[in-house]
């Protein structure tokens, strides 16, 4: 209320002497209610027509046998529709890579995360089943959102699982091959060394 009185006094509408006395407690309540009426900048207002599947599949649950795995991923608030779409692609690709890492954790060998290189075109063509483009409110600003629903069918889950298993098997075979090669080289060098020593001993025996 003090700021309001000062503003009116500058405009000549009233003076501090003319200003009515107010209860300090009521002024405090008025300031608090004004503060609460303004949404914080980090608060996001979603439209009422936003699809329900976005939140339903935000946290994926392990599917039952033969069921599809559903994962919804979104861009979050962005300054433009193009930026939202690009961020959604990054998030979708990351979600698939995380899924592959989870499969690999069940195997006997850990695969480094940098070994996973998911083709985004494959994700767009084979896995994205739904899309949503909309706006969200952040304070007084209007931002843009892009969300997609990834659908990994049971057949695709099995193919991805077999791919991980084959990769781990190839890694173990290559390790075994390297060990066998080292052993063969050691055996070969040992044979050559023994032959050289034997050839050195023969002239001495003859002498």
């Amino acid at each position: 209320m003090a700021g309001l009185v000062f503003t009116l006094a500058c405009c000549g509408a009233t003076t501090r002497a003319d200003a009515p006395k107010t209860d300090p407690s009521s002024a405090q309540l008025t300031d608090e209610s004004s503060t609460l009426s303004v949404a914080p900048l980090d608060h996001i207002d979603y439209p009422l027509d936003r699809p329900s599947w976005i939140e339903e599949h935000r946290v994926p649950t392990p599917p039952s046998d033969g069921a599809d795995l559903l994962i919804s991923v979104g861009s979050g608030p962005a300054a433009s529709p193009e930026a939202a779409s690009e961020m959604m692609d990054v998030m979708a690709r990351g979600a698939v890579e995380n899924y592959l890492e989870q499969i690999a954790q069940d195997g006997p060998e850990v695969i480094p995360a940098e070994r996973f290189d998911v083709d985004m075109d494959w994700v767009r063509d084979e896995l994205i089943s739904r899309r949503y483009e909309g706006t969200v409110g952040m304070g007084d600003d209007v931002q843009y959102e892009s969300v997609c629903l990834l659908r990994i069918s049971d057949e695709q889950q099995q193919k991805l699982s077999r791919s991980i298993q084959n990769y781990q098997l190839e890694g173990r075979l290559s390790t075994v091959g390297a060990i066998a090669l080292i052993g063969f080289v050691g055996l070969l060098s040992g044979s050559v060394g023994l032959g050289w020593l034997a050839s050195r001993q023969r002239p001495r025996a003859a002498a």
Side-chain angles (χ1 to χ4, degrees):
M1 291 297 294
L4 180 60
V5 172
F6 178 77
T7 303
L8 293 176
C10 291
C11 299
T14 185
T15 64
R16 290 190 178 273
D18 298 332
K21 295 182 179 181
T22 58
D23 185 3
S25 61
S26 62
Q28 183 179 1
L29 291 175
T30 303
D31 292 340
E32 292 179 354
S33 61
S34 300
T35 303
L36 293 175
S37 63
V38 179
L41 295 178
D42 58 349
H43 177 73
I44 302 176
D45 291 322
Y46 295 103
L48 297 178
D49 60 348
R50 191 170 183 257
S52 60
W53 55 262
I54 296 178
E55 296 301 330
E56 289 176 359
H57 304 292
R58 178 76 68 182
V59 179
T61 57
S64 57
D65 293 340
D68 297 343
L69 175 62
L70 302 176
I71 310 173
S72 68
V73 292
S75 62
S80 66
E82 294 78 14
S85 180
E86 292 178 3
M87 182 57 65
M88 188 270 292
D89 287 347
V90 173
M91 299 298 291
R93 181 174 179 175
V96 177
E97 291 176 349
N98 289 338
Y99 173 69
L100 294 176
E101 291 180 17
Q102 291 177 3
I103 297 177
Q105 290 177 358
D106 297 334
E109 180 183 352
V110 177
I111 301 177
E114 59 269 14
R115 295 294 181 88
F116 296 107
D117 187 11
V118 177
D119 184 10
M120 191 58 211
D121 290 334
W122 174 73
V123 175
R124 293 192 192 97
D125 297 338
E126 300 294 334
L127 300 185
I128 294 181
S129 61
R130 291 185 180 180
R131 284 179 176 270
Y132 168 76
E133 310 285 344
T135 59
V136 297
M138 294 189 64
D140 295 333
D141 296 334
V142 176
Q143 300 283 308
Y144 298 89
E145 179 189 33
S146 180
V147 189
C148 72
L149 180 65
L150 299 173
R151 182 183 297 272
I152 306 177
S153 66
D154 179 64
E155 180 181 0
Q156 291 169 331
Q157 295 175 45
Q158 295 180 12
K159 287 182 178 179
L160 293 174
S161 180
R162 285 195 298 267
S163 299
I164 295 296
Q165 293 173 2
N166 291 337
Y167 182 89
Q168 292 174 333
L169 178 60
E170 290 175 0
R172 292 197 299 272
L173 290 177
S174 62
T175 302
V176 172
I179 295 175
L181 179 60
I182 293 173
F184 175 74
V185 172
L187 179 63
L188 181 62
S189 60
S191 299
V192 173
L194 290 175
W196 180 77
L197 288 175
S199 64
R200 295 282 294 177
Q201 292 295 328
R202 289 194 190 98
R204 293 181 181 179

